Amino acid sequence: ISHMRSIKYYIYKLTHPLIRAYWRICKPKTFGAKAILIHETSILLTKNINARYWSLPGGKIDKGETPEHCILRELQEELALCVSKTSFLLGTYSSQQEGKQDTVYVFIVNLPSMLFEKQWELETAKWFPLNALPEDISPAALRRLEEYRSGASAITAAW
């Protein structure tokens, strides 16, 4: 199994720049879901392969899948977290970064423990105190966390 994870890791690392080039040329419409994972006063952040920023975990919504089902699936796939439901939808955001028209749904998920198991899709994952976030957190993730801390919900805004 470890060997298969290594192969998938290197395939992803090699193909991801090609996928980004495709997005810039074809400008597809994509839909994704992310989560702010909270345990008491800490947040779980992830770094994707080839990424320079810490960000919120999540991924692409599959055809016929709801945004909430997507984030629950992604949490299982990326972090081996078995979560049955989200707490609430923080907001729906639009972005044209990376050359695609993207809609991102951000959910709040309260976790009962800090246990997780990082899977091959991620470079790394780590818990951070909400009052001591890493300096290299993505600007968008930082904006979402500020919205969460302000008590906002049902936001519609740019990513």
Side-chain angles (χ1 to χ4, degrees), residues 34 36 56 90-91 93-94 104 106 108 138-150 155 157-159:
K34 292 190 171 280
I36 294 177
L56 304 174
L90 177 68
Y93 303 88
S94 60
V104 181
V106 178
I108 304 302
S138 80
L142 187 58
R143 287 191 300 274
R144 302 301 76 88
L145 290 171
E146 289 169 357
E147 292 165 349
Y148 166 72
R149 286 191 227 172
S150 75
I155 299 165
W159 181 247

Side-chain angles (χ1 to χ4, degrees), residues 56-147:
L56 304 174
K60 180 180 175 281
I61 298 173
D62 290 338
K63 187 174 182 174
E65 188 175 48
T66 67
E68 184 175 32
H69 184 263
C70 169
I71 195 57
L72 299 177
R73 175 184 51 76
E74 288 288 342
L75 295 177
Q76 173 66 42
E77 290 175 2
E78 294 180 357
L79 299 161
L81 291 171
C82 293
V83 179
S84 61
K85 65 178 184 158
T86 62
S87 298
F88 64 92
L89 178 67
L90 177 68
T92 304
Y93 303 88
S94 60
S95 170
Q96 293 190 7
Q97 295 176 355
E98 300 179 323
K100 57 183 177 169
Q101 297 174 354
D102 203 8
T103 300
V104 181
Y105 301 87
V106 178
F107 293 91
I108 304 302
V109 178
N110 289 292
L111 297 175
S113 82
M114 297 178 97
L115 297 176
F116 70 91
E117 185 179 329
K118 179 193 79 66
Q119 303 300 304
W120 69 269
E121 292 182 58
L122 299 173
E123 188 77 36
T124 190
K126 183 179 172 184
W127 285 99
F128 293 93
L130 275 168
N131 62 357
L133 298 171
E135 288 189 23
D136 57 344
I137 188 171
S138 80
L142 187 58
R143 287 191 300 274
R144 302 301 76 88
L145 290 171
E146 289 169 357
E147 292 165 349

